[in-house]
Amino acid sequence: MALRKHRWALVIGCLLLLAATVRSQVFVVGEKTATDGISTHFTRTNLPLPDQPMKERGRRELVRMLVAEQGFAHCALPMGAGLTLRANGPIETNDAAYKEMIYKKGESAAPGDRVVVTSLTVKGDRIILDLNGGPYEKHRFLRHVQFNDNPVVADTAQEAVGSRVTLLFEGFVPDVSAPEVKALLAPVIDFGVKTTEQAYANTLPPLVKQAVDVHEVLVGMNHRMVLAAMGEPESKIREKQSGDPSGATYEEWIYGHEPQTIHFVKFMGDRVTEVEIAELGKPLEIHTKDEMGGYNPPEPTREIAMGDQEPNNSANGQAPPPTLRKPGEPIPAGGSGKVQFPTASQPVPPPAGVPAAGSPSDPHLL
């Protein structure tokens, strides 16, 4: 009985120590890691603007033509109201502040995502557009009205996840039309495409965009680029890499069937590593070298850094096993960190107070 209590006490102590160790390790994603791969390149527009200020009729025309209009994000749109674009000019926020805004507030729309203009306001020298509901939660006065202590309208407690883009002019808002406003917003919103794939292709470098437009797969593309260029494959195969002792798997997408030209697109992770083109009457065409022209698309996952303390990793990159020793306490003499199993010639002595097997006081012999 005493031995059983001792074992339970040891198990509980190990669990408590392990729980304390887990609580002390906090996973922290840094700003540099979270915003890696976000493009800060914006192409300025060069559109002639009218000399006359906008009148009430022009304002109403903009609201009628642009509210509920759908487009696609040409860049990452941060949540909130901090994005200001000068007409025929740059974005007022510099690259570092732009990435910091996305890191702190989050993305309302990624490049290629569909956005909807939900509100438009002309005020002074700027046109303010709210996208996907805007950056602020809409206030409803019925939330404050109750009937027999029951609210008339239930509060959903949903936070606003929209964005706001401010189009800034010099001195006053000129008498611009809805197509001209769309053209001025081209650096951040693309109203000229009708599909997500087209919007995403417009954010890529010219070499990759040209390949997507002609439905060609390049070695080095990621899954989203291949989908934009070729669409969904007819079949997918997942197999282990032959001769790989680690058992790494690859994925192969197959487009077409006989007698058509067949494309075999091989992925390792999120990258195309090999493209095979089998055309009727021609030898098999194999591409294995990088064809992206130096462009390295961002990874779909983010690296996570360990906070609080740097773990004392072993040579194989794994964390050390849990232990009951205090930090800095040396290993006892003769202890190598491994459990020493007794051999047949070295029987295990019984704990204190427990009779040895085969002794006259052994309860099994009574």
Side-chain angles (χ1 to χ4, degrees):
M1 188 67 179
L3 179 60
R4 184 178 301 175
K5 291 182 179 180
H6 177 72
R7 289 178 178 176
W8 276 109
L10 182 61
V11 171
I12 294 175
C14 292
L15 292 177
L16 292 177
L17 181 61
L18 182 60
T21 305
V22 171
R23 285 197 300 268
S24 66
Q25 295 178 349
V26 180
F27 292 99
V28 180
V29 179
E31 179 179 350
K32 183 178 179 181
T33 302
T35 58
D36 185 25
I38 295 180
S39 175
T40 57
H41 175 70
F42 301 95
T43 304
R44 298 189 185 186
T45 58
N46 187 17
L47 183 70
L49 300 177
D51 298 332
Q52 299 298 324
M54 178 174 290
K55 299 180 180 179
E56 180 64 20
R57 182 178 179 179
R59 185 193 68 82
R60 293 181 180 178
E61 188 72 12
L62 283 184
V63 173
R64 185 177 68 87
M65 296 294 294
L66 291 180
V67 172
E69 186 73 2
Q70 297 186 10
F72 294 90
H74 210 175
C75 64
L77 299 178
M79 288 194 293
L83 194 60
T84 302
L85 172 66
R86 287 191 171 272
N88 293 329
I91 290 181
E92 284 198 339
T93 308
N94 57 33
D95 296 351
Y98 172 71
K99 289 186 175 183
E100 182 181 3
M101 191 189 316
I102 294 178
Y103 171 69
K104 291 183 176 180
K105 298 182 178 180
E107 280 189 3
S108 175
D113 289 350
R114 187 186 300 271
V115 295
V116 181
V117 180
T118 53
S119 175
L120 185 145
T121 305
V122 179
K123 186 177 181 180
D125 59 349
R126 61 198 62 194
I127 298 177
I128 304 172
L129 299 98
D130 285 351
L131 308 173
N132 296 341
Y136 306 114
E137 184 182 3
K138 299 296 185 292
H139 180 75
R140 301 181 64 182
F141 72 93
L142 289 178
R143 293 177 181 172
H144 305 283
V145 179
Q146 294 184 350
F147 184 74
N148 292 336
D149 295 333
N150 296 320
V152 177
V153 178
D155 190 359
T156 59
Q158 293 181 352
E159 297 182 358
V161 294
S163 179
R164 173 172 291 179
V165 177
T166 302
L167 185 60
L168 189 62
F169 296 87
E170 293 291 339
F172 59 88
V173 176
D175 192 16
V176 291
S177 62
E180 290 174 330
V181 173
K182 291 181 179 180
L184 292 173
L185 291 172
V188 292
I189 306 175
D190 195 343
F191 292 96
V193 296
K194 299 301 181 182
T195 64
T196 304
E197 289 76 13
Q198 293 175 354
Y200 176 67
N202 290 338
T203 65
L204 300 175
L207 176 64
V208 185
K209 181 180 181 302
Q210 183 180 1
V212 172
D213 292 340
V214 298
H215 308 290
E216 181 182 356
V217 179
L218 303 178
V219 176
M221 283 184 170
N222 56 22
H223 286 86
R224 189 174 183 183
M225 295 177 184
V226 176
L227 289 174
M230 303 289 290
E232 288 288 343
E234 296 185 7
S235 61
K236 298 180 181 179
I237 300 175
R238 291 182 62 88
E239 294 183 359
K240 287 190 176 182
Q241 187 78 8
S242 60
D244 189 352
S246 62
T249 59
Y250 70 89
E251 188 176 15
E252 190 172 46
W253 291 6
I254 303 175
Y255 294 91
H257 54 274
E258 295 181 355
Q260 303 173 356
T261 301
I262 305 177
H263 293 77
F264 301 90
V265 182
K266 183 178 179 180
F267 290 91
M268 290 295 292
D270 193 46
R271 291 289 185 273
V272 176
T273 58
E274 184 177 322
V275 178
E276 297 182 0
I277 304 175
E279 189 173 356
L280 189 63
K282 295 183 179 180
L284 183 64
E285 185 178 347
I286 302 177
H287 300 260
T288 57
K289 296 183 179 180
D290 187 270
E291 301 171 326
M292 300 291 286
Y295 175 66
N296 185 24
E299 295 289 340
T301 56
R302 305 296 184 188
E303 295 180 0
I304 299 179
M306 182 72 72
D308 287 352
Q309 60 182 356
E310 186 70 21
N312 184 17
N313 295 338
S314 57
N316 57 2
Q318 298 181 355
T323 177
L324 296 178
R325 293 191 301 272
K326 297 180 180 180
E329 183 179 352
I331 301 177
S336 60
K338 297 182 179 180
V339 178
Q340 301 294 331
F341 292 96
T343 61
S345 59
Q346 297 177 352
V348 182
V354 179
S359 63
S361 58
D362 188 354
H364 296 285
L365 299 179
L366 298 179

